[in-house]
Amino acid sequence: MFVMSVVLVFSLMTQFRFERGVKEQTKSFLEGFNEVVPLQWLQLFDERELEVLLCGMQEIDVEDWMRNTMYKNYTRSSKQVQWFWQAVRSYDNEKRARLLQFVTGTCRLPVGGFGELMGSNGLQKFCVEKVGKESWLPRSHTCFNRLDLPPYRSYEQLLEKLTFAIENTEGFGQE
């Protein structure tokens, strides 16, 4: 009985905080936003596209990205790492931003660039980690700015799987 009461109280508090606690503020925000951008237009975009529309897209400096990347179970000279950077260089700026968003949760960089990326524990460099099998798709851990990159056997395989992963992910599909 006590456990059910705790669960009920927790559920009601959560509902209050996420619904009624900000209901008026959310309503006012949406009414004001709707005056500028009709809300039905927002249905045309997914969350990634909407972020780019609202925040814009900055030029991504691949050299800065490389300087501020760490590796786990790979080294800077591993062929998969070399292929990864080759793929990043082959992408246009929009696709680079989507890759950044896939791994970090946002398509925007801090003012100081990749050296100032934040994770759940404070400053958190971009990380490429060797995880999985070559048949796996790359995975991301957005709280840690980490890309799990399987040990692919060719550049073409890496490019295909990485591109598929960043173009077909859905919100909160990452950890």
Side-chain angles (χ1 to χ4, degrees), residues 72 103 127-129 139-142 144-148:
K72 290 186 180 175
V103 181
C127 179
V128 177
E129 183 169 0
R139 292 184 309 180
S140 64
H141 302 271
T142 57
F144 306 107
N145 300 329
R146 190 176 85 213
L147 176 68
D148 290 349

Side-chain angles (χ1 to χ4, degrees), residues 151-170:
Y152 297 121
R153 293 187 183 202
S154 70
Y155 169 72
E156 292 75 21
Q157 184 184 30
L158 182 144
L159 182 63
E160 176 188 343
K161 297 220 183 231
L162 183 63
T163 302
F164 183 86
I166 64 175
E167 289 181 349
N168 292 288
T169 191
E170 294 188 15

Side-chain angles (χ1 to χ4, degrees), residues 44-108:
L44 301 172
F45 306 101
D46 65 25
E47 68 278 2
R48 292 170 295 173
E49 294 167 328
L50 190 58
E51 181 181 7
V52 171
L53 275 171
L54 294 174
C55 300
M57 190 181 319
Q58 62 195 141
E59 193 66 32
I60 295 178
D61 181 349
V62 177
E63 297 305 315
D64 180 45
W65 197 346
M66 291 174 67
R67 276 190 308 275
N68 290 287
T69 296
M70 51 188 231
Y71 305 97
K72 290 186 180 175
N73 303 317
Y74 278 129
T75 65
R76 188 177 302 233
S77 60
S78 299
K79 61 184 174 183
Q80 289 83 2
V81 170
Q82 297 299 309
W83 293 336
F84 171 76
W85 292 117
Q86 183 181 348
V88 172
R89 283 190 194 95
S90 76
Y91 290 157
D92 62 19
N93 202 57
E94 181 182 352
K95 200 166 279 185
R96 289 177 189 163
R98 291 191 80 135
L99 172 61
L100 179 64
Q101 188 170 44
F102 175 72
V103 181
T104 67
T106 181
C107 62
R108 303 282 304 165

Side-chain angles (χ1 to χ4, degrees), residues 1-16:
M1 188 67 162
F2 174 75
V3 172
M4 289 181 62
S5 297
V6 170
V7 170
L8 178 62
V9 168
F10 181 75
S11 176
L12 291 172
M13 287 295 294
T14 302
Q15 181 180 5
F16 174 76

